[in-house]
Amino acid sequence: MKFVSHVTSCCSFLLLITASMSIQAEVEIHGFGSFRVGAISATIENPNIVELYQQSGLNWRDESLFGLQTNIDLAESLSFNTQLIGKGFNDFDPEVTLAFVKYQLSPDQQLRFGRLSMPFFSQSDVQYVGYTHDYSRLPKATYWRFEFETADGISYEAKHTLGDFNAKYTLIWAEFKGEVFKNVVPGGLEIELNAMRSMSAAVGYKNFDVYAGLLEADANGKNLDNYIFSPAVQLAVANSGADLAGQQQFFDELSLTKAASYQFWGARWRYGDWKLEYERAIYGVLNSVDALTYTQYLAVSRRLDNFIFTLHREKYRQNAYGAAGITQLSSTSLIKIAQQISVGVNEPGYAMNVLSMRYDFASNMALKADYFRGSSYNNGPFTGFSIGVDFVF
Amino acid sequence: MFFKQLRVLLLLAISWPCAAADMLIVVNANNKSEFTPAQLMQLYLRKTERFSDGSAANLYHLPRDSAEHHQFCMELLNLTANQYQSFWSRLLFTGNVSAMRHLTPEQLVIQIQQDVSAIGYMPATRVHAGVRAVAILQDRQLTMLNP
């Protein structure tokens, strides 16, 4: 992992060298951004909907962001790409989201090396480039923000066509080390996702596409374990009446230092002015206190000249009491303690319907607005709206 | 070559009243690849990045705001020019392509004549030396002109 990080650093250095020495490389600079204002109204002050306008009143920071990308052709088949994004919810502090060298093995095959976007879901690689999709925001139930959306590693991508059929698949091996839960714990908690192995594929026939992906990793969540197994929890376990073996089983079963798995699959169909899209995902740290997360959305879109209207339903669900680590426990008192922890670390979920509109009012600029209405399993119904502009240059 | 150009001219002559709306999809005259409607769509949607002979394909477009570009996007790809721009941005910001290359019709002809890997489209008003027309778009119908 250090090696990969060093290569990434070297690539950054190479970028500076290339720029400063004015090497005759073809350099393209592009950018993108979103400026969006929105609000949520609920029966309680903070309905704790996943990452959506958690403060009362109008919010403009939650979904506003700016990005800058450079593509440098170093040689005929070799290029270097970097991307910086400053997100409003993170005070627009720029972060390097992509930094990779791309080697084109053939027109339909490429290798990438460096900081890569990880395909947790079908559109993860453009999650923050709002201009590239028709939704006001990609369905939040699925497109949650992960701190480990990008990781350092190597990827291989290939495309094939046969008559009206086309296929594309990507293999990635990467590693991540960084802080998570920064909004919960000051400074965040460091975790490692080692040996991230991803395989994703898409097969298309004319205007119909199906896609799927699987990502597995060995999670090192010792700091998370220390956080959830607080002194108060340890005291409660010690006083639970369970024997030492049972207590040890409690910590082993609930530990987040386990294998993590992310799966998605879906389909997209375009017919005339209509588009239908469905995606489902299941993920979590297996056999731990982390309950598996189930997300899905179904969307139908209609194009009317430069307007695109999309109606979609999205759903997010975690069964805190059903976390696999809890089901392995035998002591009733320990199960109760585990359930309390699980309720604290898992999101109960929600479902909502969203009507969104995209209007391409100028070259490279789209006005988007949406109205959403849904219900949180714990906190009741809510409604909300947003309006904003997505652009690229 | 003569018969191929004659065939294109005949097609143009037959459809003369609506010739202004017709579009030729063209490659370099030395490009001997075969083309199918599916392959043209796959090339412009970057489902593949090579011609049938295995060589790389470089796509060229007429100006973004031109009626021809809008017509081409809609009739071949069933996308508005804005949707195609959105689609291309998706490829661009994932590091898969360079910016879309827009040329005037005159520049496009020169590019096609000089670059064996180039593919583009132009109004079907005349046939140019060094350019091979592989398909014609007429009233949303794509007719292949393979030899």
Side-chain angles (χ1 to χ4, degrees), chain A residues 289-304:
Chain A
V289 71
D290 186 24
L292 283 181
T293 299
Y294 295 84
T295 79
Q296 58 182 326
Y297 64 88
L298 174 65
V300 59
S301 300
R302 174 77 160 92
R303 179 181 68 200
L304 293 166

Side-chain angles (χ1 to χ4, degrees), chain A residues 23 263 324 343 385:
Chain A
I23 292 174
Q263 304 168 32
V343 167
F385 76 94

Side-chain angles (χ1 to χ4, degrees), chain A residues 239-310:
Chain A
N239 294 331
S240 66
D243 58 22
L244 286 177
Q247 293 179 25
Q248 188 57 47
Q249 185 200 18
F250 174 90
F251 294 117
D252 291 343
E253 294 292 346
L254 269 56
S255 170
L256 289 161
T257 301
K258 302 270 178 65
S261 173
Y262 296 78
Q263 304 168 32
F264 71 86
W265 63 268
R268 190 177 298 119
W269 183 45
R270 281 199 308 124
Y271 181 76
D273 293 331
W274 294 87
K275 187 171 78 174
L276 194 64
E277 188 167 39
Y278 176 77
E279 184 173 0
R280 181 178 172 84
I282 303 171
Y283 61 86
V285 179
L286 304 176
N287 302 312
S288 69
V289 71
D290 186 24
L292 283 181
T293 299
Y294 295 84
T295 79
Q296 58 182 326
Y297 64 88
L298 174 65
V300 59
S301 300
R302 174 77 160 92
R303 179 181 68 200
L304 293 166
D305 197 18
N306 282 326
F307 287 88
I308 296 173
F309 294 92
T310 302

